[in-house]
Amino acid sequence: MAVNSTVVLTLILLTLMFGAGVTSSVWGFTIGREALQGTTQPDVRPSNNAGSGKPGTTASKDQVSILKEKDILTTVKARVEGRDPEKTAGANNKTEKASSKPAAAKKPAAQNASAKFPLNSRDGGITLEVSAASQRNNSMLLDVSMKNEGSQAVRFLYSFLNVTDDRGRALSATAEDLPSELPPNGQVFYGTVSIPTALLENAKEVSLTLTDYPGQKLQLQISGIPVAK
């Protein structure tokens, strides 16, 4: 039986192509393996110390300490001026700690100011007392009271009420609800003295002075009344 030469030639070509493909694959794989020899996959596993409950020493060594810009500038300035950077940083830390305490130091002062009341003055059986100071609208109000424990009635003209601040400035004041005449029965009369807050700029304390009318023999004076804030 005769063999067709075309079929034989086709089989020979297919065999050669298959062999060339296998040879190329093996050769490419070999070259690629040799090229990648020595290259390893990055170690992305967590630290062995993460699950042991112990702090890892390797991680702590690899951590980078980030400095504050302020500390860097302070150190550079100290070195330029020939000073010890560590001493300069310590002095700055002390200054920052000291500046964080003024709010706490102001509280006792406010308590002492409120603890001054009541303030009073007594002369000739007449008692003038200031029991509190407060602010309302645009005025500072002083709660005052008066009583007469003498033997005679005493008259007052409250336009003679003299009010000054701790700088010696005379202030305008208005007295309300206080009687023009105090009877000699020891009864306490209550009223208020109103001072415009616009006149109290930079003032810390005020003083009251009152005398009788028309004799002006009595001298009722109360000093150190704290200005209400």
Side-chain angles (χ1 to χ4, degrees):
M1 182 176 181
V3 180
N4 193 342
S5 60
T6 304
V7 174
V8 173
L9 181 60
T10 302
L11 292 174
I12 294 172
L13 290 175
L14 290 175
T15 303
L16 293 174
M17 292 175 61
F18 179 77
V22 172
T23 303
S24 299
S25 299
V26 173
W27 184 50
F29 177 77
T30 303
I31 293 176
R33 185 174 183 180
E34 291 178 355
L36 294 176
Q37 190 174 4
T39 303
T40 59
Q41 181 180 0
D43 188 4
V44 295
R45 296 175 300 170
S47 175
N48 294 332
N49 294 322
S52 63
K54 298 180 181 179
T57 56
T58 304
S60 61
K61 290 182 180 179
D62 295 338
Q63 290 178 352
V64 179
S65 177
I66 301 177
L67 299 178
K68 296 181 180 179
E69 181 180 0
K70 181 180 178 181
D71 295 338
I72 296 175
L73 294 177
T74 302
T75 303
V76 171
K77 182 178 179 181
R79 292 187 181 279
V80 170
E81 296 178 355
R83 292 178 289 135
D84 189 349
E86 295 183 359
K87 293 183 178 179
T88 303
N92 291 338
N93 291 335
K94 290 181 180 179
T95 303
E96 291 178 357
K97 291 180 180 180
S99 61
S100 63
K101 299 180 179 180
K106 291 181 180 179
K107 292 183 179 179
Q111 295 176 355
N112 292 336
S114 62
K116 290 182 178 180
F117 295 108
L119 302 171
N120 56 67
S121 175
R122 180 181 175 86
D123 188 12
I126 306 298
T127 301
L128 173 66
E129 181 176 284
V130 178
S131 57
S134 61
Q135 276 202 16
R136 185 180 304 169
N137 297 329
N138 296 323
S139 298
M140 184 179 82
L141 301 181
L142 302 179
D143 296 335
V144 300
S145 62
M146 299 181 68
K147 64 180 178 179
N148 182 5
E149 296 176 319
S151 57
Q152 296 181 352
V154 180
R155 297 181 61 190
F156 290 95
L157 191 61
Y158 296 103
S159 58
F160 286 175
L161 179 65
N162 184 26
V163 182
T164 57
D165 63 9
D166 51 347
R167 298 189 175 192
R169 297 177 297 184
L171 307 176
S172 174
T174 304
E176 299 178 359
D177 301 329
L178 292 176
S180 58
E181 183 174 316
L182 284 179
N185 56 7
Q187 180 182 355
V188 180
F189 295 86
Y190 297 93
T192 59
V193 173
S194 176
I195 307 171
T197 53
L199 304 177
L200 296 171
E201 185 178 1
N202 300 324
K204 297 180 180 180
E205 296 178 345
V206 296
S207 301
L208 301 181
T209 303
L210 180 64
T211 185
D212 61 310
Y213 177 83
Q216 300 185 15
K217 297 178 181 179
L218 302 178
Q219 192 72 14
L220 301 171
Q221 183 174 5
I222 301 179
S223 303
I225 303 171
V227 173
K229 300 296 185 181

